[in-house]
Amino acid sequence: MKVVLDMDPGIDDAMALLLTLNNSRLEILAVTTVSGNVNVDKATLNALKIIEAAGGRCGQAPVYRGAGRPLNKRRHPVYSEDIHGRNGLGNVDPSPRLRAKEEKTSAVDKLVELLSSHKKKEISIVATGPLTNIAMLLQREPSAAKKLNQLYIMGGIYDNGLTKGNVTKHAEFNFFCDPEAAKIVIDNAERKGLSIIASGLDITSTSACAIRNDELGMICSIRSKIADIACKILQYPLRNYSFFNLHDVFALFSLLYPEIFRTQRCRVRVYTSGRHRGKCVVSYGNGNVQVNRQVNSVRFNKYLLDGLA
Ligand code: BDR
Ligand code: CA
């Protein structure tokens, strides 16, 4: 499967990247970066460092810098360094003598190029940061909505108020950071036929899938290069909190293991301003957004450990 990862690494993004690098079913066409957990300079550096530390060959996963600010230029970037550490990777440097360099092409230019040089429905995107790059792609190249196979996203909340947001009462981080981008992307599902599979905070916060000290111990006992990196970067959030949710891994696993999720179709409206900024209002029944509503946590945890081995 040909895939682009659009991300803001970030510890859980880094986990999704490690699991992708170690999966022979996936061919990574590009890793595109975006401002989110940390600024885009750090996000780009982190992607390069994770790939190199994991033993990624040059060209196995080329990295393209994306948006450094939200779509609406009046908005300021919002970061999440309290959770992910100042450098975004729990203040661990997985690759102190980094040799790899980012590509010269911008993220959106690369996405446009990839979609025009591949067959329709050949490429899927797993987007685990604010949706700025994806919205820019859809604005520049409206036909991208139909050319893409699937867009897997981590973002939003889809249970109409039952789950509390992680930035405000109503909003999940990625949708809060760039609500205009989230709205453009979600509206493309309804209006332009973009097929979205969404994992929102309501599922990614599933307690049985969270990492606690026991799970960290299991990860640290796996003898592999990528488990070693995971073990180091996961220490930071677990020093400050009793658990850590691997939000972004849900987006990747819904591509790799759709059978472990129960999904439901819906229409989604994203709010962009005021105290409802980033909030989703969802009507289930039909619609072009498929939302992951339940996960088999036993299999999720098994695939996580297997994937790191
Ligand atoms: C999302 O916000 C970020 O902090 C995580 O990387 C994840 O993508 C969860 O709300
Ligand atoms: Ca993320």
Side-chain angles (χ1 to χ4, degrees):
M1 289 185 274
K2 293 185 194 301
V3 71
V4 172
L5 303 180
D6 183 69
M7 51 172 48
D8 60 335
I11 295 172
D12 54 334
D13 302 81
M15 291 293 291
L17 178 53
L18 288 170
L19 289 161
T20 308
L21 289 165
N22 207 28
N23 192 299
S24 56
R25 286 165 60 205
L26 298 177
E27 180 191 343
I28 308 178
L29 298 177
V31 176
T32 52
T33 59
V34 65
S35 165
N37 288 319
V38 285
N39 69 37
V40 75
D41 292 345
K42 294 184 192 175
T44 307
L45 196 64
N46 290 348
L48 289 166
K49 284 184 176 247
I50 290 284
I51 295 164
E52 190 161 300
R57 279 166 289 114
C58 187
Q60 186 199 354
V63 176
Y64 301 84
R65 172 187 296 255
R69 302 183 62 86
L71 214 52
N72 177 344
K73 293 294 172 242
R74 286 192 302 271
R75 288 205 187 282
H76 295 290
V78 180
Y79 306 126
S80 179
E81 296 185 1
D82 49 334
I83 308 239
H84 297 268
R86 253 191 344 276
N87 79 343
L89 295 177
N91 298 334
V92 168
D93 183 349
S95 201
R97 285 183 293 278
L98 180 71
R99 291 171 54 204
K101 291 201 166 42
E102 67 186 85
E103 303 294 319
K104 295 212 168 65
T105 312
S106 76
V108 177
D109 284 351
K110 186 63 192 178
L111 289 169
V112 171
E113 183 197 313
L114 281 171
L115 285 172
S116 68
S117 60
H118 284 77
K119 287 196 225 100
K120 205 173 164 188
K121 305 283 180 200
E122 219 183 341
I123 301 175
S124 290
I125 298 181
V126 179
T128 58
L131 289 166
T132 322
N133 293 335
I134 310 300
M136 287 167 74
L137 165 71
L138 292 165
Q139 283 184 325
R140 202 164 110 192
E141 190 61 61
S143 64
K146 288 225 167 71
K147 284 189 188 159
L148 267 179
N149 182 27
Q150 305 274 10
L151 173 65
Y152 298 86
I153 65 170
M154 188 288 130
I157 312 175
Y158 303 92
D159 61 5
N160 289 328
L162 291 177
T163 300
K164 201 170 148 285
N166 56 359
V167 184
T168 65
K169 185 173 155 206
H170 304 289
E172 178 279 329
F173 179 79
N174 290 334
F175 275 32
F176 182 85
C177 283
D178 197 340
E180 283 79 16
K183 183 171 170 46
I184 287 171
V185 172
I186 292 286
D187 286 353
N188 258 265
E190 209 49 64
R191 305 213 179 110
K192 302 275 164 53
L194 173 66
S195 174
I196 297 180
I197 303 191
S199 300
L201 205 61
D202 43 310
I203 185 140
T204 65
S205 308
T206 301
S207 167
C209 297
I211 301 287
R212 296 186 173 73
N213 280 327
D214 286 357
E215 288 77 23
L216 181 62
M218 283 191 248
I219 290 172
C220 295
S221 67
I222 300 172
R223 300 201 159 276
S224 79
K225 212 181 250 182
I226 66 160
D228 183 53
I229 303 166
C231 165
K232 288 184 180 135
I233 62 177
L234 286 167
Q235 314 263 341
Y236 179 84
L238 288 183
R239 274 201 295 274
N240 302 325
Y241 305 92
S242 56
F243 65 90
F244 181 68
N245 291 309
L246 294 176
H247 301 287
D248 295 338
V249 174
F250 281 74
L252 174 67
F253 277 10
S254 53
L255 160 69
L256 284 172
Y257 314 115
E259 68 283 1
I260 72 171
F261 295 95
R262 185 178 72 77
T263 62
Q264 234 180 324
R265 287 197 168 274
C266 62
R267 296 209 155 87
V268 182
R269 177 166 169 212
V270 181
Y271 286 72
T272 54
S273 57
R275 67 193 175 90
H276 291 289
R277 164 178 172 178
K279 173 179 171 176
C280 302
V281 173
V282 185
S283 42
Y284 283 101
N286 44 34
N288 228 7
V289 180
Q290 263 177 275
V291 170
N292 285 326
R293 300 283 282 158
Q294 266 177 6
V295 60
N296 179 328
S297 57
V298 174
R299 293 181 69 192
F300 181 98
N301 292 328
K302 177 181 165 9
Y303 290 139
L304 176 70
L305 294 177
D306 288 353
L308 292 172

PDB file of all heavy atoms in Angstrom, residues 8 10-13 37 80 83-84 128-129 154-155 166 172-174 201 204 247-248, ligand 1:
ATOM      1  N   ASP A   8       3.029  15.902  12.730  1.00  0.00           N
ATOM      2  CA  ASP A   8       3.670  16.954  13.535  1.00  0.00           C
ATOM      3  C   ASP A   8       4.431  16.319  14.708  1.00  0.00           C
ATOM      4  O   ASP A   8       4.112  16.565  15.863  1.00  0.00           O
ATOM      5  CB  ASP A   8       2.605  17.943  14.058  1.00  0.00           C
ATOM      6  CG  ASP A   8       1.544  17.286  14.939  1.00  0.00           C
ATOM      7  OD1 ASP A   8       1.312  16.062  14.786  1.00  0.00           O
ATOM      8  OD2 ASP A   8       0.947  17.972  15.794  1.00  0.00           O
ATOM      9  N   GLY A  10       6.194  15.349  17.811  1.00  0.00           N
ATOM     10  CA  GLY A  10       5.194  14.608  18.524  1.00  0.00           C
ATOM     11  C   GLY A  10       5.482  13.127  18.794  1.00  0.00           C
ATOM     12  O   GLY A  10       5.876  12.395  17.909  1.00  0.00           O
ATOM     13  N   ILE A  11       5.298  12.759  20.103  1.00  0.00           N
ATOM     14  CA  ILE A  11       5.625  11.401  20.531  1.00  0.00           C
ATOM     15  C   ILE A  11       4.705  10.363  19.894  1.00  0.00           C
ATOM     16  O   ILE A  11       5.173   9.333  19.393  1.00  0.00           O
ATOM     17  CB  ILE A  11       5.594  11.313  22.078  1.00  0.00           C
ATOM     18  CG1 ILE A  11       6.716  12.192  22.659  1.00  0.00           C
ATOM     19  CG2 ILE A  11       5.755   9.869  22.555  1.00  0.00           C
ATOM     20  CD1 ILE A  11       6.686  12.355  24.168  1.00  0.00           C
ATOM     21  N   ASP A  12       3.391  10.610  19.871  1.00  0.00           N
ATOM     22  CA  ASP A  12       2.514   9.583  19.281  1.00  0.00           C
ATOM     23  C   ASP A  12       2.630   9.559  17.761  1.00  0.00           C
ATOM     24  O   ASP A  12       2.519   8.497  17.136  1.00  0.00           O
ATOM     25  CB  ASP A  12       1.057   9.700  19.760  1.00  0.00           C
ATOM     26  CG  ASP A  12       0.455  11.072  19.544  1.00  0.00           C
ATOM     27  OD1 ASP A  12       1.197  12.073  19.498  1.00  0.00           O
ATOM     28  OD2 ASP A  12      -0.785  11.142  19.420  1.00  0.00           O
ATOM     29  N   ASP A  13       2.924  10.711  17.143  1.00  0.00           N
ATOM     30  CA  ASP A  13       3.220  10.704  15.700  1.00  0.00           C
ATOM     31  C   ASP A  13       4.477   9.864  15.449  1.00  0.00           C
ATOM     32  O   ASP A  13       4.536   9.081  14.497  1.00  0.00           O
ATOM     33  CB  ASP A  13       3.518  12.120  15.196  1.00  0.00           C
ATOM     34  CG  ASP A  13       2.392  13.097  15.444  1.00  0.00           C
ATOM     35  OD1 ASP A  13       2.299  13.603  16.581  1.00  0.00           O
ATOM     36  OD2 ASP A  13       1.605  13.346  14.533  1.00  0.00           O
ATOM     37  N   ASN A  37       2.228  19.906  17.351  1.00  0.00           N
ATOM     38  CA  ASN A  37       2.801  19.680  18.684  1.00  0.00           C
ATOM     39  C   ASN A  37       3.999  20.589  18.943  1.00  0.00           C
ATOM     40  O   ASN A  37       4.227  21.053  20.051  1.00  0.00           O
ATOM     41  CB  ASN A  37       3.242  18.221  18.824  1.00  0.00           C
ATOM     42  CG  ASN A  37       2.059  17.283  18.946  1.00  0.00           C
ATOM     43  OD1 ASN A  37       1.085  17.584  19.626  1.00  0.00           O
ATOM     44  ND2 ASN A  37       2.124  16.140  18.275  1.00  0.00           N
ATOM     45  N   SER A  80       2.148  21.929  21.718  1.00  0.00           N
ATOM     46  CA  SER A  80       1.803  21.052  22.838  1.00  0.00           C
ATOM     47  C   SER A  80       3.082  20.510  23.491  1.00  0.00           C
ATOM     48  O   SER A  80       3.233  19.311  23.699  1.00  0.00           O
ATOM     49  CB  SER A  80       0.924  19.909  22.304  1.00  0.00           C
ATOM     50  OG  SER A  80       0.571  19.030  23.328  1.00  0.00           O
ATOM     51  N   ILE A  83       3.165  18.359  26.809  1.00  0.00           N
ATOM     52  CA  ILE A  83       2.973  16.905  26.738  1.00  0.00           C
ATOM     53  C   ILE A  83       4.151  16.215  26.047  1.00  0.00           C
ATOM     54  O   ILE A  83       4.582  15.142  26.460  1.00  0.00           O
ATOM     55  CB  ILE A  83       1.682  16.577  25.944  1.00  0.00           C
ATOM     56  CG1 ILE A  83       0.506  17.357  26.519  1.00  0.00           C
ATOM     57  CG2 ILE A  83       1.445  15.055  25.850  1.00  0.00           C
ATOM     58  CD1 ILE A  83      -0.649  16.625  27.026  1.00  0.00           C
ATOM     59  N   HIS A  84       4.655  16.836  24.975  1.00  0.00           N
ATOM     60  CA  HIS A  84       5.634  16.146  24.123  1.00  0.00           C
ATOM     61  C   HIS A  84       7.083  16.559  24.395  1.00  0.00           C
ATOM     62  O   HIS A  84       7.996  16.037  23.760  1.00  0.00           O
ATOM     63  CB  HIS A  84       5.285  16.391  22.643  1.00  0.00           C
ATOM     64  CG  HIS A  84       3.953  15.831  22.272  1.00  0.00           C
ATOM     65  ND1 HIS A  84       3.783  14.561  21.754  1.00  0.00           N
ATOM     66  CD2 HIS A  84       2.707  16.337  22.393  1.00  0.00           C
ATOM     67  CE1 HIS A  84       2.495  14.328  21.557  1.00  0.00           C
ATOM     68  NE2 HIS A  84       1.822  15.392  21.940  1.00  0.00           N
ATOM     69  N   THR A 128      -1.904  12.971  10.915  1.00  0.00           N
ATOM     70  CA  THR A 128      -1.970  12.893  12.380  1.00  0.00           C
ATOM     71  C   THR A 128      -1.610  14.220  13.053  1.00  0.00           C
ATOM     72  O   THR A 128      -1.262  14.233  14.236  1.00  0.00           O
ATOM     73  CB  THR A 128      -1.052  11.760  12.895  1.00  0.00           C
ATOM     74  OG1 THR A 128       0.285  12.023  12.456  1.00  0.00           O
ATOM     75  CG2 THR A 128      -1.501  10.404  12.407  1.00  0.00           C
ATOM     76  N   GLY A 129      -1.677  15.292  12.288  1.00  0.00           N
ATOM     77  CA  GLY A 129      -1.459  16.619  12.863  1.00  0.00           C
ATOM     78  C   GLY A 129      -2.601  17.528  12.447  1.00  0.00           C
ATOM     79  O   GLY A 129      -3.602  17.065  11.877  1.00  0.00           O
ATOM     80  N   MET A 154      -6.389  11.532  12.419  1.00  0.00           N
ATOM     81  CA  MET A 154      -6.602  11.596  13.870  1.00  0.00           C
ATOM     82  C   MET A 154      -6.968  13.050  14.131  1.00  0.00           C
ATOM     83  O   MET A 154      -6.148  13.951  13.924  1.00  0.00           O
ATOM     84  CB  MET A 154      -5.327  11.215  14.633  1.00  0.00           C
ATOM     85  CG  MET A 154      -5.519  11.070  16.150  1.00  0.00           C
ATOM     86  SD  MET A 154      -5.766  12.611  16.977  1.00  0.00           S
ATOM     87  CE  MET A 154      -7.210  12.285  17.957  1.00  0.00           C
ATOM     88  N   GLY A 155      -8.188  13.263  14.572  1.00  0.00           N
ATOM     89  CA  GLY A 155      -8.598  14.623  14.871  1.00  0.00           C
ATOM     90  C   GLY A 155     -10.083  14.700  15.111  1.00  0.00           C
ATOM     91  O   GLY A 155     -10.844  13.905  14.566  1.00  0.00           O
ATOM     92  N   ASN A 166      -9.355  17.989  24.640  1.00  0.00           N
ATOM     93  CA  ASN A 166      -8.065  18.069  25.344  1.00  0.00           C
ATOM     94  C   ASN A 166      -7.417  19.452  25.237  1.00  0.00           C
ATOM     95  O   ASN A 166      -6.313  19.651  25.726  1.00  0.00           O
ATOM     96  CB  ASN A 166      -7.106  16.954  24.904  1.00  0.00           C
ATOM     97  CG  ASN A 166      -6.865  16.937  23.407  1.00  0.00           C
ATOM     98  OD1 ASN A 166      -7.433  17.748  22.677  1.00  0.00           O
ATOM     99  ND2 ASN A 166      -6.031  16.017  22.951  1.00  0.00           N
ATOM    100  N   GLU A 172     -10.668  18.993  20.289  1.00  0.00           N
ATOM    101  CA  GLU A 172      -9.469  18.145  20.237  1.00  0.00           C
ATOM    102  C   GLU A 172      -8.336  18.997  19.661  1.00  0.00           C
ATOM    103  O   GLU A 172      -8.573  19.888  18.839  1.00  0.00           O
ATOM    104  CB  GLU A 172      -9.797  16.925  19.352  1.00  0.00           C
ATOM    105  CG  GLU A 172      -8.674  15.944  19.124  1.00  0.00           C
ATOM    106  CD  GLU A 172      -7.715  16.379  18.064  1.00  0.00           C
ATOM    107  OE1 GLU A 172      -8.135  17.068  17.108  1.00  0.00           O
ATOM    108  OE2 GLU A 172      -6.522  16.058  18.180  1.00  0.00           O
ATOM    109  N   PHE A 173      -7.089  18.685  20.021  1.00  0.00           N
ATOM    110  CA  PHE A 173      -5.927  19.518  19.673  1.00  0.00           C
ATOM    111  C   PHE A 173      -5.789  19.803  18.163  1.00  0.00           C
ATOM    112  O   PHE A 173      -5.647  20.957  17.755  1.00  0.00           O
ATOM    113  CB  PHE A 173      -4.647  18.868  20.214  1.00  0.00           C
ATOM    114  CG  PHE A 173      -3.398  19.629  19.900  1.00  0.00           C
ATOM    115  CD1 PHE A 173      -3.033  20.742  20.638  1.00  0.00           C
ATOM    116  CD2 PHE A 173      -2.577  19.248  18.851  1.00  0.00           C
ATOM    117  CE1 PHE A 173      -1.880  21.460  20.348  1.00  0.00           C
ATOM    118  CE2 PHE A 173      -1.426  19.956  18.540  1.00  0.00           C
ATOM    119  CZ  PHE A 173      -1.079  21.064  19.300  1.00  0.00           C
ATOM    120  N   ASN A 174      -5.794  18.761  17.325  1.00  0.00           N
ATOM    121  CA  ASN A 174      -5.514  18.988  15.898  1.00  0.00           C
ATOM    122  C   ASN A 174      -6.571  19.884  15.243  1.00  0.00           C
ATOM    123  O   ASN A 174      -6.252  20.734  14.408  1.00  0.00           O
ATOM    124  CB  ASN A 174      -5.421  17.656  15.134  1.00  0.00           C
ATOM    125  CG  ASN A 174      -4.178  16.883  15.518  1.00  0.00           C
ATOM    126  OD1 ASN A 174      -3.178  17.462  15.943  1.00  0.00           O
ATOM    127  ND2 ASN A 174      -4.232  15.558  15.384  1.00  0.00           N
ATOM    128  N   LEU A 201     -10.880  11.839  19.405  1.00  0.00           N
ATOM    129  CA  LEU A 201     -10.442  11.697  20.794  1.00  0.00           C
ATOM    130  C   LEU A 201     -11.293  10.686  21.564  1.00  0.00           C
ATOM    131  O   LEU A 201     -10.810  10.023  22.477  1.00  0.00           O
ATOM    132  CB  LEU A 201     -10.555  13.069  21.458  1.00  0.00           C
ATOM    133  CG  LEU A 201      -9.667  13.350  22.647  1.00  0.00           C
ATOM    134  CD1 LEU A 201      -8.204  13.266  22.262  1.00  0.00           C
ATOM    135  CD2 LEU A 201      -9.978  14.739  23.198  1.00  0.00           C
ATOM    136  N   THR A 204      -9.607   7.430  20.548  1.00  0.00           N
ATOM    137  CA  THR A 204      -8.155   7.343  20.791  1.00  0.00           C
ATOM    138  C   THR A 204      -7.816   7.447  22.284  1.00  0.00           C
ATOM    139  O   THR A 204      -6.696   7.150  22.687  1.00  0.00           O
ATOM    140  CB  THR A 204      -7.375   8.418  20.005  1.00  0.00           C
ATOM    141  OG1 THR A 204      -7.738   9.718  20.490  1.00  0.00           O
ATOM    142  CG2 THR A 204      -7.642   8.341  18.520  1.00  0.00           C
ATOM    143  N   HIS A 247      -2.724   8.406  20.432  1.00  0.00           N
ATOM    144  CA  HIS A 247      -3.803   8.870  19.535  1.00  0.00           C
ATOM    145  C   HIS A 247      -3.518   8.566  18.069  1.00  0.00           C
ATOM    146  O   HIS A 247      -4.354   8.032  17.342  1.00  0.00           O
ATOM    147  CB  HIS A 247      -3.975  10.387  19.683  1.00  0.00           C
ATOM    148  CG  HIS A 247      -4.301  10.847  21.056  1.00  0.00           C
ATOM    149  ND1 HIS A 247      -5.533  10.664  21.632  1.00  0.00           N
ATOM    150  CD2 HIS A 247      -3.550  11.497  21.994  1.00  0.00           C
ATOM    151  CE1 HIS A 247      -5.544  11.187  22.848  1.00  0.00           C
ATOM    152  NE2 HIS A 247      -4.351  11.689  23.096  1.00  0.00           N
ATOM    153  N   ASP A 248      -2.300   8.930  17.631  1.00  0.00           N
ATOM    154  CA  ASP A 248      -2.028   8.880  16.188  1.00  0.00           C
ATOM    155  C   ASP A 248      -1.882   7.466  15.642  1.00  0.00           C
ATOM    156  O   ASP A 248      -2.076   7.230  14.441  1.00  0.00           O
ATOM    157  CB  ASP A 248      -0.768   9.700  15.881  1.00  0.00           C
ATOM    158  CG  ASP A 248      -0.985  11.178  16.181  1.00  0.00           C
ATOM    159  OD1 ASP A 248      -2.160  11.599  16.210  1.00  0.00           O
ATOM    160  OD2 ASP A 248       0.008  11.892  16.387  1.00  0.00           O
TER     161      ASP A 248
HETATM  162  C1  BDR B   1      -3.513  14.851  18.885  1.00  0.00           C
HETATM  163  O1  BDR B   1      -2.852  16.012  19.369  1.00  0.00           O
HETATM  164  C2  BDR B   1      -1.463  15.814  19.413  1.00  0.00           C
HETATM  165  O2  BDR B   1      -0.926  16.281  20.609  1.00  0.00           O
HETATM  166  C3  BDR B   1      -1.229  14.340  19.208  1.00  0.00           C
HETATM  167  O3  BDR B   1      -0.032  14.124  18.488  1.00  0.00           O
HETATM  168  C4  BDR B   1      -2.436  13.884  18.435  1.00  0.00           C
HETATM  169  O4  BDR B   1      -2.235  14.019  17.042  1.00  0.00           O
HETATM  170  C5  BDR B   1      -4.423  14.339  19.969  1.00  0.00           C
HETATM  171  O5  BDR B   1      -5.392  15.292  20.283  1.00  0.00           O
END
